Amino acid sequence: MSFEVVSVYTLLVGDAGGPPTVSVHTTADDAWRALDAEVRRRCRMRPRPRRRMDAEAATRLADAWRAGEPDSRFWNVAVHRLPVPLPEIARSAVPASR
């Protein structure tokens, strides 16, 4: 069986006031967009207009949110490389022995 390696991104956002939010994303852009949306939701800010996500802007916003209560608020975006097994679809022909 052969393997293909895929990347996934996990987002973890939480504070002492409730359970953390954990989500899995297929692209880094989706993960940064989700971080931006989650921090805006927690701060009761209006959502960002649809456009290309800037990871640095999301990081600044999340860091500013965390700075309000640094001992109880946290966030993390992490990349994971996962091996995915690929089934063998067709085998090469094996000559029959006579």
Side-chain angles (χ1 to χ4, degrees), residues 2-50:
S2 62
F3 290 89
E4 181 176 327
V5 177
V6 297
S7 296
V8 295
Y9 300 82
T10 56
L11 169 63
L12 175 66
V13 180
D15 58 25
T21 300
V22 179
S23 57
V24 178
H25 306 274
T26 56
T27 66
D29 201 43
D30 288 345
W32 290 112
R33 184 175 286 112
L35 174 63
D36 184 86
E38 181 62 24
V39 170
R40 286 174 179 277
R41 185 187 69 76
R42 289 174 182 255
C43 294
R44 295 183 179 100
M45 296 172 69
R46 63 187 170 97
R48 179 181 294 274
R50 280 195 164 260

Side-chain angles (χ1 to χ4, degrees), residues 11-93:
L11 169 63
L12 175 66
V13 180
D15 58 25
T21 300
V22 179
S23 57
V24 178
H25 306 274
T26 56
T27 66
D29 201 43
D30 288 345
W32 290 112
R33 184 175 286 112
L35 174 63
D36 184 86
E38 181 62 24
V39 170
R40 286 174 179 277
R41 185 187 69 76
R42 289 174 182 255
C43 294
R44 295 183 179 100
M45 296 172 69
R46 63 187 170 97
R48 179 181 294 274
R50 280 195 164 260
R51 61 180 171 199
R52 187 169 183 272
M53 189 64 233
D54 179 16
E56 290 180 21
T59 299
R60 285 192 304 272
L61 179 64
D63 284 343
W65 167 75
R66 185 179 180 278
E69 293 180 33
D71 294 334
S72 63
R73 293 179 180 172
F74 56 91
W75 68 271
N76 186 27
V77 174
V79 63
H80 307 277
R81 295 182 51 84
L82 305 174
V84 177
L86 297 175
E88 191 173 331
I89 297 173
R91 295 182 181 199
S92 56

